[in-house]
Structures are given as C-alpha cells and as structure tokens.
Amino acid sequence: MNVMYATDDNYVEIMAVSIQSLFQHNDPKEICLYIVTDHIQEVNKERLVTMVQNQGAQITLIDKPDIRKLLGVELKTLRWSDSAYSRLFLKLLYSDYPEVKKLLYIDCDTLITDSLQDLWNTDIQDYLGAACLECMSRMHKKIIGALPKDNYVNTGMLLLNVTRWKQEDVDSQMMAFIQKYNGKTEYVDQGVINGTISNRFFLVSPRYNLTSLAYDFTYEEMLTYRKPDFGYSKEEWEKAIEKPAIVHFTTSFLSIRPWYEGSKHPYAKQWKETHDETEWKDEPYRELMGRKKRDKKEYYYRKLPRKIAIESAGILHAYVKPLLYYLK
C-alpha cells in the first residue's frame, strides 16, 4: 500500500498522528510511505523517520518542488500552504519512482479508524482515481467553471491511478487551470481538481473521508446548510457515521479540531490517545488563533432557533462566501 502525505513543518506533528492511526489499523510492514516535505526541520524529519521505521514501514521523503516558480504565477493560498498543491503534480513528484503505479493520498488532519485494505483494492483501472463527494453548492462549482451536474469531491482522501495520471499528463492540465485563474482557486488544490477532472473519479463510500459536517449537522440539516447537488443517500451517510474509516477534521464554525484545547469532536479523545503514542507525545495542545471571535460566532448561532440558524448559515456558505471569494 503506497500512501502519500504532504506537509510543512507546522503540520508534521498532526500528520504523525494520522500515520500512527494508519499503523494501528493496517499492517505497517505492508505500507510504503511517501512524504512530500516543505521546509521541515531536521529534528522533525528524524522523529518522523524513527517513528515509521520502528514499526516496520518504509518511508521516502520527497522535497516539494518550487510550485510558484513552476507555475510562473503568484499563488493566493489564503490559510493553506503551498504543500496543498503537491498532490496535483504526480508526474513530477514520482518521476524517479516508476514502481509507484497506484497511490493513496491522505490529508494530515485525519484519523484512520479502520482498515483501508478494501479502499486500496478498489478497481480504478478506468479512472484517474477514487474519491468521496463533498457537500457543496452550485455557486462554489460555478466559480471554478464546473457545471451543476459535475461531481465535487473532497481531496482529503484520493486513491490515485499514477500510471494513467502520468500517461495523460494530468500535471499539465492542473498547471493550465491554475494559470488560467492567476493562482487563485477556491480551496486551493480542491478547486483545481473539481474544475478539471472530478468526473473522472470513481466515487466511494463517505466512510473513507468523513468530514466535520457529519458530526455538526443531521443529514437534512447538512443539505439545508450546504445546498448541494449531493449524491449520497441518507442511509449511506448515516452508515458512514456509524463506522467511519477515515475521520477528516475539517474546519468548522461549530466544532474545534482535536489538537486544540476544548475540542468536543466525538473522535477528539481517540486523536489525543493516538497523539500520545507518537514522537510528539510531550507537545502540549496548540493555541487556536482567533478563538474569541470563533466562540462568539458559535454563541450567536446557537442562540437562534436551530432552523433559522441553519438556514441563515446556509445562505452565507452557499451563496455569499463564493461570491465574496469571486469578487476579491
């Protein structure tokens, strides 16, 4: 099982927890890790290599290419780092690794809670990869040139057909899209993939990329909030919540991610316990920037009748947010 992560120094500790949870539910001796690194301190590289090798897995560190120089445009990544774009350039990253024909990409801010063997064995021979749908409105699709009927996937987990990706030179398609939008794509790499190749992914169960939405809203509330053309049924969604395989701690105004004090996410305790098994076990909780502002937003949201609160938040997310992004 070839598994890829991409990180800068700020996310190494968080990534280590995801890797440790991967080892808890999958045989480390059958895993080859490929970590795309962006200016990571030597001490953190050493910690990472030690942790991985002590459990019998293989690890290869790949330096992130200078993506800005490669593209020739100024990237407007907002709160994300350039390393988020790494998964777009498989032909470039894996030119020296012809043995990598299939690759499972996983975001750092995840917790693996079950075996990924069935996911790894998914037949993607006729696809560029496999992914899970994201619950997103038509307006978010429109600003990246996608049609209402097009898939919109979350790129926190991607099972990638590296062979086909290289053959079709998908790297060049990614570059052309970013250049077309002058380095400004909503949700960085996710906007790029959904503006170009999302319909060429095989869709898998949401249990393989279960985001914070699943724990902040009921199925019906989620549809009101995000107003999507959404492909998962209520039964599929609730089944995924009962037995997730990858819990993805996406940002949310209604929940705090588990590496911050005070998280009430259902998997916060498990994340902390896994954290304490890593080389970073002595690191304290992080400070959440803008905590007072965030708490105030949640406070006023919860003061409103729930139906009105969800409908109001839905208008902001589905229409106002993408419009403001487009006008910036």
Side-chain angles (χ1 to χ4, degrees):
M1 188 187 293
N2 301 314
V3 181
M4 172 186 172
Y5 287 87
T7 186
D8 59 14
D9 208 49
N10 184 51
Y11 261 76
V12 176
E13 176 187 354
I14 294 164
M15 178 185 68
V17 179
S18 181
I19 291 172
Q20 180 65 20
S21 67
L22 174 69
F23 291 164
Q24 289 172 347
H25 299 281
N26 302 269
D27 186 354
K29 294 181 180 63
E30 295 181 358
I31 294 173
C32 296
L33 282 173
Y34 293 86
I35 315 294
V36 180
T37 65
D38 184 4
H39 298 96
I40 295 179
Q41 297 178 66
E42 285 304 315
V43 63
N44 280 331
K45 284 184 180 179
E46 290 168 9
R47 279 172 159 183
L48 186 60
V49 171
T50 298
M51 184 188 98
V52 172
Q53 290 183 342
N54 281 349
Q55 299 195 57
Q58 297 178 48
I59 182 169
T60 299
L61 302 181
I62 303 173
D63 289 333
K64 179 189 73 65
D66 187 339
I67 292 169
R68 291 171 187 258
K69 184 177 178 181
L70 184 72
L71 294 167
V73 295
E74 182 61 30
L75 293 175
K76 302 168 184 72
T77 57
L78 301 179
R79 60 188 170 89
W80 289 275
S81 76
D82 288 4
S83 59
Y85 283 102
S86 297
R87 74 206 85 173
L88 301 177
F89 302 108
L90 301 183
K91 186 175 180 180
L92 175 64
L93 288 173
Y94 293 92
S95 60
D96 294 332
Y97 306 97
E99 69 278 11
V100 179
K101 302 185 187 309
K102 184 164 72 167
L103 191 65
L104 176 58
Y105 170 83
I106 304 174
D107 262 359
C108 298
D109 55 347
T110 55
L111 190 75
I112 285 73
T113 55
D114 201 358
S115 169
L116 301 183
Q117 199 62 52
D118 285 348
L119 173 63
W120 177 253
N121 291 333
T122 301
D123 183 2
I124 55 171
Q125 185 176 343
D126 297 327
Y127 299 87
L128 286 174
C132 298
L133 289 169
E134 173 65 284
C135 193
M136 201 66 83
S137 73
R138 291 186 176 191
M139 185 72 82
H140 286 281
K141 291 181 179 181
K142 188 174 182 179
I143 63 172
I144 55 171
L147 298 172
K149 65 179 181 180
D150 290 336
N151 293 332
Y152 192 103
V153 301
N154 185 291
T155 56
M157 182 290 295
L158 298 171
L159 181 64
L160 298 162
N161 185 337
V162 180
T163 300
R164 186 174 282 270
W165 197 283
K166 287 179 177 179
Q167 287 172 347
E168 299 189 21
D169 195 12
V170 175
D171 287 30
S172 294
Q173 297 175 48
M174 305 289 102
M175 288 177 64
F177 185 87
I178 297 168
Q179 289 163 345
K180 175 185 174 183
Y181 285 88
N182 296 310
K184 181 187 174 186
T185 55
E186 192 187 31
Y187 300 111
V188 286
D189 66 293
Q190 186 163 289
V192 180
I193 283 179
N194 284 293
T196 53
I197 58 170
S198 64
N199 292 331
R200 299 193 59 198
F201 281 88
F202 179 76
L203 301 177
V204 294
S205 165
R207 72 184 295 261
Y208 292 114
N209 190 357
L210 199 61
T211 64
S212 299
L213 277 174
Y215 301 100
D216 291 342
F217 302 96
T218 66
Y219 182 82
E220 290 80 10
E221 288 172 345
M222 180 179 67
L223 298 184
T224 300
Y225 172 47
R226 287 292 184 90
K227 308 190 186 317
D229 296 296
F230 198 43
Y232 291 125
S233 67
K234 182 177 180 179
E235 183 184 6
E236 285 176 298
W237 193 249
E238 291 182 345
K239 242 182 182 177
I241 294 171
E242 284 175 21
K243 192 174 174 56
I246 300 177
V247 175
H248 189 181
F249 300 106
T250 48
T251 54
S252 168
F253 75 99
L254 285 178
S255 58
I256 297 169
R257 297 157 109 186
W259 43 93
Y260 300 116
E261 191 78 60
S263 174
K264 295 176 183 174
H265 192 287
Y267 283 87
K269 184 176 180 224
Q270 189 171 327
W271 187 92
K272 184 65 171 67
E273 289 170 350
T274 307
H275 173 271
D276 292 344
E277 295 177 16
T278 73
E279 297 286 315
W280 285 262
K281 60 180 180 239
D282 296 325
E283 297 293 330
Y285 282 110
R286 299 186 177 202
E287 182 181 349
L288 177 58
M289 302 300 291
R291 180 67 178 263
K292 286 184 180 177
K293 186 178 178 182
R294 182 233 157 261
D295 289 351
K296 192 179 285 187
K297 274 185 190 175
E298 183 180 354
Y299 171 79
Y300 286 119
Y301 172 87
R302 296 194 186 281
K303 288 288 282 184
L304 290 169
R306 190 162 177 88
K307 187 177 179 183
I308 294 173
I310 293 167
E311 287 176 348
S312 302
I315 291 169
L316 290 174
H317 190 279
Y319 306 119
V320 177
K321 185 178 179 181
L323 183 60
L324 289 177
Y325 183 86
Y326 177 75
L327 294 173
K328 276 183 186 177

